[in-house]
Coordinates of all heavy atoms in Angstrom, one line a residue:
M1 N -126.0 -168.9 -59.1 CA -124.7 -168.3 -59.3 C -124.7 -166.9 -59.0 O -125.4 -166.1 -59.6 CB -124.4 -168.6 -60.8 CG -123.0 -168.1 -61.1 SD -122.4 -168.9 -62.7 CE -122.5 -167.5 -63.7
R2 N -124.0 -166.5 -58.0 CA -123.8 -165.1 -57.7 C -122.8 -164.4 -58.5 O -121.8 -165.1 -58.9 CB -123.6 -165.0 -56.2 CG -124.6 -165.4 -55.4 CD -124.4 -165.2 -53.9 NE -123.0 -165.2 -53.5 CZ -122.6 -165.3 -52.3 NH1 -123.5 -165.5 -51.4 NH2 -121.3 -165.2 -52.0
S3 N -122.9 -163.1 -58.8 CA -121.9 -162.4 -59.6 C -121.4 -161.2 -58.8 O -121.5 -160.1 -59.2 CB -122.5 -162.1 -60.9 OG -123.6 -161.2 -60.7
T4 N -120.9 -161.5 -57.6 CA -120.4 -160.5 -56.8 C -118.9 -160.7 -56.6 O -118.4 -161.8 -56.7 CB -121.0 -160.4 -55.4 OG1 -120.8 -161.6 -54.8 CG2 -122.6 -160.2 -55.5
P5 N -118.1 -159.6 -56.4 CA -116.6 -159.8 -56.1 C -116.4 -160.7 -54.9 O -115.4 -161.4 -54.9 CB -116.1 -158.3 -55.8 CG -117.2 -157.5 -56.4 CD -118.5 -158.1 -56.3
R6 N -117.3 -160.7 -54.0 CA -117.1 -161.6 -52.8 C -117.1 -163.0 -53.1 O -116.4 -163.9 -52.5 CB -118.2 -161.2 -51.7 CG -117.9 -162.0 -50.4 CD -118.9 -161.6 -49.4 NE -118.6 -162.2 -48.2 CZ -119.4 -162.3 -47.2 NH1 -120.6 -161.5 -47.2 NH2 -119.1 -162.9 -46.1
S7 N -118.0 -163.4 -54.1 CA -118.0 -164.8 -54.5 C -117.0 -165.2 -55.5 O -116.6 -166.3 -55.7 CB -119.4 -165.1 -55.1 OG -119.6 -164.4 -56.3
A8 N -116.4 -164.2 -56.3 CA -115.4 -164.5 -57.3 C -113.9 -164.4 -56.7 O -113.1 -165.2 -57.1 CB -115.5 -163.6 -58.4
L9 N -113.7 -163.6 -55.8 CA -112.3 -163.3 -55.3 C -111.6 -164.6 -54.6 O -110.5 -164.8 -54.8 CB -112.2 -162.2 -54.3 CG -112.4 -160.8 -55.0 CD1 -112.2 -159.7 -54.0 CD2 -111.3 -160.7 -56.0
P10 N -112.4 -165.4 -53.9 CA -111.7 -166.6 -53.2 C -111.1 -167.5 -54.4 O -110.2 -168.3 -54.1 CB -112.7 -167.2 -52.4 CG -113.7 -166.2 -52.1 CD -113.7 -165.3 -53.3
K11 N -111.6 -167.4 -55.5 CA -111.1 -168.3 -56.6 C -109.8 -167.8 -57.2 O -109.2 -168.6 -58.0 CB -112.2 -168.5 -57.7 CG -113.5 -169.1 -57.2 CD -114.5 -169.1 -58.2 CE -115.9 -169.5 -57.7 NZ -116.9 -169.4 -58.6
L12 N -109.4 -166.6 -56.9 CA -108.2 -166.1 -57.5 C -107.1 -166.2 -56.5 O -107.2 -166.2 -55.3 CB -108.4 -164.5 -57.8 CG -109.5 -164.2 -58.8 CD1 -109.7 -162.8 -58.9 CD2 -109.0 -164.8 -60.2
E13 N -105.8 -166.2 -57.1 CA -104.6 -166.1 -56.2 C -104.7 -164.8 -55.6 O -105.1 -163.8 -56.0 CB -103.4 -166.3 -57.1 CG -103.2 -167.6 -57.8 CD -102.0 -167.6 -58.7 OE1 -101.1 -166.8 -58.5 OE2 -102.1 -168.4 -59.6
Y14 N -104.0 -164.8 -54.4 CA -104.0 -163.5 -53.5 C -103.4 -162.3 -54.3 O -103.9 -161.2 -54.3 CB -103.3 -163.8 -52.2 CG -103.3 -162.6 -51.3 CD1 -104.4 -162.2 -50.6 CD2 -102.2 -161.7 -51.2 CE1 -104.4 -161.1 -49.8 CE2 -102.2 -160.6 -50.4 CZ -103.3 -160.3 -49.7 OH -103.4 -159.2 -48.9
R15 N -102.3 -162.5 -55.1 CA -101.7 -161.5 -55.8 C -102.4 -160.9 -57.0 O -102.1 -159.9 -57.5 CB -100.3 -161.8 -56.2 CG -100.2 -163.0 -57.1 CD -98.7 -163.4 -57.3 NE -98.7 -164.5 -58.2 CZ -98.4 -164.5 -59.5 NH1 -98.2 -163.3 -60.1 NH2 -98.4 -165.5 -60.2
K16 N -103.5 -161.7 -57.4 CA -104.3 -161.2 -58.6 C -105.6 -160.7 -58.2 O -106.5 -160.4 -59.1 CB -104.4 -162.4 -59.5 CG -103.1 -162.9 -60.2 CD -103.3 -163.9 -61.2 CE -102.0 -164.3 -61.7 NZ -102.1 -165.3 -62.8
R17 N -106.0 -160.6 -56.9 CA -107.3 -160.2 -56.5 C -107.5 -158.8 -56.8 O -108.6 -158.3 -57.1 CB -107.4 -160.5 -55.0 CG -107.6 -161.9 -54.7 CD -107.9 -162.2 -53.3 NE -108.0 -163.6 -53.1 CZ -108.3 -164.2 -52.0 NH1 -108.5 -163.5 -50.9 NH2 -108.4 -165.6 -51.9
G18 N -106.5 -157.9 -56.8 CA -106.7 -156.4 -57.1 C -107.1 -156.3 -58.6 O -108.0 -155.6 -58.9
R19 N -106.4 -157.1 -59.5 CA -106.9 -157.0 -60.9 C -108.3 -157.6 -61.1 O -109.0 -157.0 -61.9 CB -105.8 -157.8 -61.7 CG -106.1 -157.6 -63.2 CD -105.2 -158.5 -64.1 NE -103.8 -158.0 -63.9 CZ -102.8 -158.6 -64.4 NH1 -103.0 -159.7 -65.2 NH2 -101.6 -158.2 -64.3
G20 N -108.6 -158.7 -60.4 CA -109.9 -159.3 -60.5 C -111.0 -158.3 -60.0 O -112.0 -158.2 -60.7
T21 N -110.7 -157.7 -59.0 CA -111.7 -156.6 -58.4 C -111.9 -155.5 -59.5 O -113.0 -155.0 -59.7 CB -111.3 -156.1 -57.1 OG1 -111.1 -157.1 -56.1 CG2 -112.2 -155.1 -56.5
G22 N -110.8 -155.0 -60.0 CA -110.8 -153.9 -61.0 C -111.6 -154.4 -62.2 O -112.4 -153.5 -62.8
L23 N -111.3 -155.5 -62.7 CA -112.1 -156.0 -63.9 C -113.6 -156.1 -63.6 O -114.4 -155.7 -64.4 CB -111.5 -157.3 -64.4 CG -110.2 -157.3 -65.0 CD1 -109.6 -158.6 -65.3 CD2 -110.2 -156.5 -66.3
W24 N -113.9 -156.6 -62.4 CA -115.3 -156.7 -62.1 C -116.0 -155.4 -62.0 O -117.1 -155.2 -62.5 CB -115.4 -157.5 -60.8 CG -116.9 -157.9 -60.5 CD1 -117.5 -159.1 -60.9 CD2 -117.9 -157.1 -59.9 NE1 -118.8 -159.0 -60.4 CE2 -119.1 -157.9 -59.9 CE3 -117.9 -155.9 -59.3 CZ2 -120.3 -157.4 -59.3 CZ3 -119.1 -155.3 -58.7 CH2 -120.3 -156.1 -58.8
I25 N -115.4 -154.5 -61.3 CA -116.0 -153.2 -61.2 C -116.1 -152.4 -62.5 O -117.1 -151.7 -62.8 CB -115.2 -152.4 -60.1 CG1 -115.4 -152.9 -58.7 CG2 -115.5 -150.8 -60.1 CD1 -114.5 -152.3 -57.6
A26 N -115.0 -152.6 -63.3 CA -115.0 -151.9 -64.7 C -116.2 -152.4 -65.5 O -116.9 -151.7 -66.1 CB -113.7 -152.1 -65.3
S27 N -116.4 -153.7 -65.5 CA -117.4 -154.2 -66.3 C -118.8 -153.9 -65.7 O -119.8 -153.7 -66.5 CB -117.3 -155.8 -66.4 OG -117.4 -156.4 -65.1
F28 N -118.9 -153.8 -64.4 CA -120.2 -153.5 -63.9 C -120.6 -152.0 -64.2 O -121.7 -151.8 -64.7 CB -120.1 -153.6 -62.3 CG -121.3 -153.2 -61.6 CD1 -122.4 -154.0 -61.5 CD2 -121.5 -151.9 -61.0 CE1 -123.6 -153.6 -60.8 CE2 -122.6 -151.5 -60.4 CZ -123.6 -152.4 -60.3
F29 N -119.6 -151.1 -64.1 CA -119.9 -149.8 -64.4 C -120.0 -149.5 -65.9 O -120.8 -148.6 -66.3 CB -119.0 -148.8 -63.8 CG -119.3 -148.7 -62.3 CD1 -118.4 -149.2 -61.4 CD2 -120.4 -148.0 -61.8 CE1 -118.7 -149.1 -60.0 CE2 -120.7 -147.9 -60.5 CZ -119.9 -148.5 -59.6
L30 N -119.4 -150.2 -66.8 CA -119.5 -150.1 -68.2 C -121.0 -150.6 -68.6 O -121.6 -150.0 -69.4 CB -118.6 -151.1 -68.9 CG -118.5 -151.0 -70.4 CD1 -118.2 -149.6 -70.9 CD2 -117.6 -152.0 -71.0
G31 N -121.4 -151.6 -67.9 CA -122.8 -152.0 -68.1 C -123.8 -151.0 -67.7 O -124.8 -150.7 -68.3
Q32 N -123.5 -150.3 -66.6 CA -124.4 -149.2 -66.0 C -124.4 -148.1 -67.0 O -125.4 -147.4 -67.2 CB -123.9 -148.7 -64.7 CG -124.0 -149.8 -63.6 CD -125.5 -149.9 -63.1 OE1 -126.2 -148.9 -63.1 NE2 -125.9 -151.1 -62.8
F33 N -123.4 -147.8 -67.7 CA -123.3 -146.7 -68.7 C -124.0 -147.1 -70.0 O -124.6 -146.2 -70.6 CB -121.8 -146.3 -68.9 CG -121.6 -145.3 -70.0 CD1 -121.9 -143.9 -69.7 CD2 -121.2 -145.7 -71.2 CE1 -121.8 -143.0 -70.6 CE2 -121.0 -144.6 -72.2 CZ -121.3 -143.3 -71.9
L34 N -123.8 -148.3 -70.5 CA -124.2 -148.6 -71.8 C -125.7 -149.1 -71.8 O -126.3 -148.9 -72.9 CB -123.4 -149.8 -72.3 CG -121.9 -149.5 -72.7 CD1 -121.2 -150.7 -73.1 CD2 -121.9 -148.4 -73.7
C35 N -126.2 -149.5 -70.7 CA -127.6 -149.9 -70.7 C -128.6 -148.9 -71.1 O -129.4 -149.1 -72.0 CB -127.9 -150.5 -69.3 SG -129.7 -151.2 -69.3
P36 N -128.6 -147.7 -70.6 CA -129.6 -146.7 -71.0 C -129.4 -146.3 -72.5 O -130.3 -146.1 -73.2 CB -129.2 -145.4 -70.1 CG -128.5 -146.0 -68.9 CD -127.8 -147.2 -69.4
L37 N -128.1 -146.2 -72.9 CA -127.9 -146.0 -74.4 C -128.5 -147.0 -75.3 O -129.1 -146.7 -76.3 CB -126.4 -145.8 -74.6 CG -125.6 -144.7 -73.9 CD1 -124.2 -144.7 -74.2 CD2 -126.3 -143.4 -74.2
A38 N -128.3 -148.3 -74.9 CA -128.9 -149.4 -75.7 C -130.4 -149.3 -75.6 O -131.1 -149.5 -76.6 CB -128.4 -150.7 -75.1
L39 N -131.0 -149.0 -74.4 CA -132.5 -149.0 -74.4 C -133.0 -147.8 -75.1 O -134.1 -147.9 -75.8 CB -132.9 -148.8 -72.9 CG -132.9 -150.1 -72.1 CD1 -133.2 -149.8 -70.6 CD2 -133.8 -151.1 -72.7
L40 N -132.3 -146.7 -75.2 CA -132.8 -145.5 -76.0 C -132.8 -145.9 -77.5 O -133.6 -145.5 -78.3 CB -132.0 -144.3 -75.7 CG -132.2 -143.6 -74.4 CD1 -131.3 -142.4 -74.1 CD2 -133.7 -143.1 -74.4
T41 N -131.7 -146.5 -77.9 CA -131.6 -147.0 -79.3 C -132.7 -148.0 -79.7 O -133.3 -147.9 -80.7 CB -130.1 -147.5 -79.6 OG1 -129.2 -146.6 -79.2 CG2 -130.0 -148.0 -81.0
L42 N -132.8 -149.0 -78.8 CA -133.9 -150.0 -79.1 C -135.3 -149.4 -79.0 O -136.2 -149.8 -79.8 CB -133.8 -151.2 -78.0 CG -132.6 -152.1 -78.3 CD1 -132.5 -153.0 -77.1 CD2 -132.8 -152.8 -79.6
K43 N -135.5 -148.4 -78.1 CA -136.8 -147.8 -78.1 C -137.1 -147.0 -79.4 O -138.2 -147.0 -79.8 CB -136.8 -146.8 -76.9 CG -138.3 -146.1 -76.8 CD -138.3 -145.2 -75.7 CE -139.6 -144.4 -75.6 NZ -139.6 -143.3 -74.9
S44 N -136.1 -146.3 -79.9 CA -136.3 -145.7 -81.2 C -136.6 -146.7 -82.3 O -137.3 -146.3 -83.3 CB -135.1 -144.7 -81.5 OG -134.0 -145.5 -81.8
V45 N -136.0 -147.8 -82.2 CA -136.3 -148.8 -83.3 C -137.6 -149.5 -83.1 O -138.3 -149.7 -84.1 CB -135.1 -149.9 -83.3 CG1 -135.4 -151.1 -84.2 CG2 -133.8 -149.2 -83.7
T46 N -138.0 -149.9 -81.9 CA -139.2 -150.7 -81.7 C -140.4 -149.7 -81.4 O -141.5 -150.2 -81.6 CB -139.0 -151.6 -80.5 OG1 -138.7 -150.8 -79.4 CG2 -137.9 -152.6 -80.7
G47 N -140.1 -148.6 -80.9 CA -141.3 -147.7 -80.6 C -141.8 -147.7 -79.2 O -142.6 -146.8 -78.9
Q48 N -141.5 -148.8 -78.4 CA -142.0 -148.9 -77.1 C -140.8 -149.2 -76.2 O -140.0 -150.1 -76.5 CB -143.1 -149.9 -77.0 CG -144.4 -149.6 -77.7 CD -145.4 -150.6 -77.4 OE1 -145.1 -151.7 -77.1 NE2 -146.7 -150.3 -77.5
L49 N -140.9 -148.8 -75.0 CA -139.8 -149.0 -74.0 C -140.0 -150.5 -73.5 O -138.9 -151.2 -73.3 CB -140.0 -148.1 -72.9 CG -138.8 -148.3 -71.8 CD1 -137.5 -148.0 -72.4 CD2 -139.1 -147.2 -70.7
T50 N -141.2 -151.0 -73.4 CA -141.3 -152.4 -72.8 C -140.8 -153.4 -73.9 O -140.2 -154.4 -73.5 CB -142.8 -152.6 -72.6 OG1 -143.6 -152.4 -73.7 CG2 -143.3 -151.8 -71.4
T51 N -141.0 -153.1 -75.1 CA -140.4 -154.0 -76.2 C -138.9 -153.9 -76.2 O -138.2 -154.9 -76.3 CB -141.0 -153.6 -77.5 OG1 -142.4 -153.6 -77.5 CG2 -140.6 -154.6 -78.6
A52 N -138.4 -152.7 -76.0 CA -136.9 -152.5 -75.9 C -136.3 -153.3 -74.8 O -135.2 -153.9 -74.9 CB -136.6 -151.0 -75.9
V53 N -137.0 -153.2 -73.6 CA -136.5 -153.9 -72.4 C -136.5 -155.4 -72.6 O -135.5 -156.1 -72.3 CB -137.3 -153.5 -71.2 CG1 -136.9 -154.4 -70.0 CG2 -137.0 -152.0 -70.9
G54 N -137.5 -155.9 -73.2 CA -137.6 -157.3 -73.6 C -136.5 -157.8 -74.6 O -135.9 -158.7 -74.4
A55 N -136.3 -156.9 -75.5 CA -135.3 -157.2 -76.6 C -133.9 -157.2 -76.0 O -133.1 -158.2 -76.2 CB -135.3 -156.3 -77.7
L56 N -133.6 -156.3 -75.1 CA -132.3 -156.2 -74.4 C -132.2 -157.4 -73.4 O -131.1 -158.0 -73.3 CB -132.1 -154.9 -73.6 CG -130.8 -154.7 -72.9 CD1 -129.7 -154.6 -74.0 CD2 -130.8 -153.4 -72.2
G57 N -133.2 -157.8 -72.8 CA -133.2 -159.0 -71.8 C -132.9 -160.3 -72.7 O -132.2 -161.1 -72.3
L58 N -133.5 -160.4 -73.8 CA -133.3 -161.6 -74.6 C -131.9 -161.6 -75.2 O -131.2 -162.7 -75.2 CB -134.4 -161.6 -75.8 CG -134.3 -162.7 -76.7 CD1 -134.6 -164.1 -76.0 CD2 -135.3 -162.6 -77.9
A59 N -131.4 -160.4 -75.6 CA -130.0 -160.4 -76.1 C -129.1 -160.7 -75.0 O -128.1 -161.4 -75.3 CB -129.8 -159.0 -76.7
S60 N -129.3 -160.2 -73.8 CA -128.4 -160.6 -72.7 C -128.4 -162.0 -72.4 O -127.4 -162.6 -72.1 CB -128.8 -159.8 -71.4 OG -128.8 -158.4 -71.7
A61 N -129.6 -162.7 -72.4 CA -129.7 -164.1 -72.1 C -129.0 -164.9 -73.2 O -128.3 -165.9 -72.9 CB -131.2 -164.5 -72.0
L62 N -129.1 -164.5 -74.4 CA -128.5 -165.2 -75.5 C -126.9 -165.1 -75.4 O -126.2 -166.1 -75.6 CB -128.9 -164.7 -76.8 CG -130.3 -165.1 -77.2 CD1 -130.8 -164.4 -78.5 CD2 -130.5 -166.5 -77.3
V63 N -126.4 -163.9 -75.1 CA -125.0 -163.7 -74.8 C -124.4 -164.5 -73.7 O -123.4 -165.2 -73.7 CB -124.6 -162.2 -74.7 CG1 -123.2 -162.1 -74.2 CG2 -124.8 -161.5 -76.0
A64 N -125.2 -164.5 -72.6 CA -124.8 -165.4 -71.4 C -124.9 -166.8 -71.8 O -123.9 -167.5 -71.3 CB -125.8 -165.1 -70.2
A65 N -125.8 -167.3 -72.5 CA -125.8 -168.7 -72.9 C -124.7 -169.1 -73.7 O -124.1 -170.1 -73.7 CB -127.2 -169.0 -73.6
G66 N -124.3 -168.1 -74.7 CA -123.2 -168.3 -75.5 C -121.8 -168.4 -74.9 O -120.9 -169.1 -75.2
L67 N -121.7 -167.6 -73.8 CA -120.4 -167.5 -73.0 C -120.3 -168.5 -71.9 O -119.2 -168.8 -71.4 CB -120.3 -166.1 -72.4 CG -120.0 -165.0 -73.4 CD1 -120.1 -163.7 -72.7 CD2 -118.8 -165.1 -74.2
L68 N -121.3 -169.2 -71.6 CA -121.3 -170.3 -70.5 C -120.4 -171.4 -70.8 O -119.6 -171.7 -69.9 CB -122.7 -170.8 -70.3 CG -122.9 -171.7 -69.1 CD1 -122.5 -171.0 -67.9 CD2 -124.3 -172.2 -69.0
P69 N -120.3 -172.0 -72.0 CA -119.2 -172.9 -72.3 C -117.8 -172.4 -72.1 O -116.9 -173.1 -71.6 CB -119.4 -173.4 -73.7 CG -120.8 -173.0 -74.0 CD -121.2 -171.8 -73.2
L70 N -117.5 -171.2 -72.5 CA -116.2 -170.6 -72.3 C -115.9 -170.4 -70.8 O -114.8 -170.6 -70.4 CB -116.2 -169.2 -73.0 CG -114.9 -168.5 -72.9 CD1 -113.8 -169.2 -73.6 CD2 -115.1 -167.1 -73.4
L71 N -116.9 -170.0 -70.0 CA -116.7 -169.9 -68.6 C -116.3 -171.2 -67.9 O -115.5 -171.3 -67.0 CB -117.9 -169.3 -68.0 CG -117.9 -169.1 -66.4 CD1 -116.9 -168.1 -66.1 CD2 -119.3 -168.8 -65.9
R72 N -116.9 -172.2 -68.4 CA -116.6 -173.6 -67.8 C -115.2 -174.1 -68.2 O -114.7 -174.9 -67.5 CB -117.7 -174.5 -68.2 CG -119.0 -174.2 -67.5 CD -120.1 -175.2 -68.0 NE -121.4 -174.8 -67.5 CZ -122.0 -175.2 -66.5 NH1 -121.4 -176.1 -65.6 NH2 -123.2 -174.8 -66.1
R73 N -114.7 -173.7 -69.3 CA -113.4 -174.1 -69.7 C -112.2 -173.4 -69.1 O -111.2 -174.1 -69.0 CB -113.3 -174.0 -71.3 CG -113.6 -175.2 -72.0 CD -113.3 -175.0 -73.4 NE -114.2 -174.0 -73.9 CZ -114.3 -173.6 -75.2 NH1 -113.3 -174.0 -76.1 NH2 -115.1 -172.8 -75.6
T74 N -112.4 -172.2 -68.7 CA -111.2 -171.5 -68.2 C -111.4 -171.3 -66.7 O -112.4 -171.0 -66.2 CB -111.1 -170.1 -68.9 OG1 -112.4 -169.4 -68.7 CG2 -110.9 -170.2 -70.4
S75 N -110.2 -171.3 -66.0 CA -110.2 -171.0 -64.6 C -110.0 -169.5 -64.5 O -109.6 -168.8 -65.4 CB -109.1 -171.8 -64.0 OG -107.8 -171.3 -64.4
P76 N -110.3 -169.0 -63.3 CA -110.1 -167.5 -63.1 C -108.7 -167.1 -63.3 O -108.3 -166.0 -63.7 CB -110.6 -167.3 -61.6 CG -111.5 -168.4 -61.4 CD -111.0 -169.5 -62.2
Q77 N -107.7 -168.0 -62.8 CA -106.3 -167.6 -63.0 C -105.9 -167.5 -64.5 O -105.2 -166.6 -64.9 CB -105.4 -168.7 -62.3 CG -105.4 -168.6 -60.8 CD -106.6 -169.2 -60.2 OE1 -107.3 -170.1 -60.8 NE2 -106.9 -168.9 -58.9
E78 N -106.4 -168.4 -65.4 CA -106.1 -168.4 -66.8 C -106.7 -167.1 -67.4 O -106.1 -166.6 -68.3 CB -106.7 -169.6 -67.5 CG -106.0 -170.9 -67.1 CD -106.7 -172.1 -67.7 OE1 -107.8 -171.9 -68.3 OE2 -106.3 -173.2 -67.5
A79 N -107.9 -166.7 -67.0 CA -108.5 -165.5 -67.6 C -107.7 -164.3 -67.2 O -107.7 -163.3 -68.0 CB -109.9 -165.4 -67.0
L80 N -107.1 -164.2 -66.1 CA -106.4 -163.0 -65.6 C -105.0 -163.0 -66.1 O -104.2 -161.9 -65.9 CB -106.4 -162.9 -64.1 CG -107.7 -162.4 -63.5 CD1 -107.7 -162.4 -62.0 CD2 -108.2 -161.2 -64.1
Q81 N -104.3 -164.0 -66.8 CA -103.0 -164.0 -67.2 C -102.8 -163.1 -68.4 O -101.7 -163.0 -68.8 CB -102.6 -165.4 -67.4 CG -102.3 -166.2 -66.1 CD -101.9 -167.6 -66.4 OE1 -101.8 -168.1 -67.5 NE2 -101.6 -168.3 -65.3
A82 N -103.8 -162.7 -69.1 CA -103.7 -162.0 -70.3 C -103.0 -160.6 -70.2 O -102.9 -160.0 -69.2 CB -105.1 -161.7 -71.0

């Protein structure tokens, strides 16, 4: 499963592709901003960067597994109607 705008945009109606691209880019850069902050916080709690990276990876995998059923239930058009 790829997570690029190129693989997601064909699933959207033409008039909603701008919003879909904006949401994808916003979430990507929000993750780029928050990841170092989360790692610094986890490093101060665990004491080691490798443990912090492992904890963040585990947390990300759990969140992705929890959101997978929601992704399968909604179509891209339903998600953008909000």
Side-chain angles (χ1 to χ4, degrees):
M1 180 165 111
R2 296 184 332 197
S3 61
T4 63
R6 184 175 182 190
S7 63
L9 286 181
K11 299 174 186 174
L12 296 175
E13 296 175 22
Y14 183 76
R15 63 187 178 97
K16 294 185 179 179
R17 289 184 182 181
R19 185 183 298 175
T21 302
L23 288 172
W24 190 93
I25 290 172
S27 64
F28 179 80
F29 285 109
L30 183 64
Q32 292 286 322
F33 175 74
L34 292 177
C35 184
L37 299 176
L39 282 176
L40 286 174
T41 303
L42 286 171
K43 182 184 174 194
S44 67
V45 171
T46 62
Q48 290 185 338
L49 184 60
T50 54
T51 308
V53 170
L56 186 61
L58 180 62
S60 298
L62 291 174
V63 168
L67 291 176
L68 189 59
L70 179 66
L71 178 67
R72 293 179 187 264
R73 260 189 292 179
T74 58
S75 70
Q77 286 80 17
E78 291 172 0
L80 288 178
Q81 286 180 354

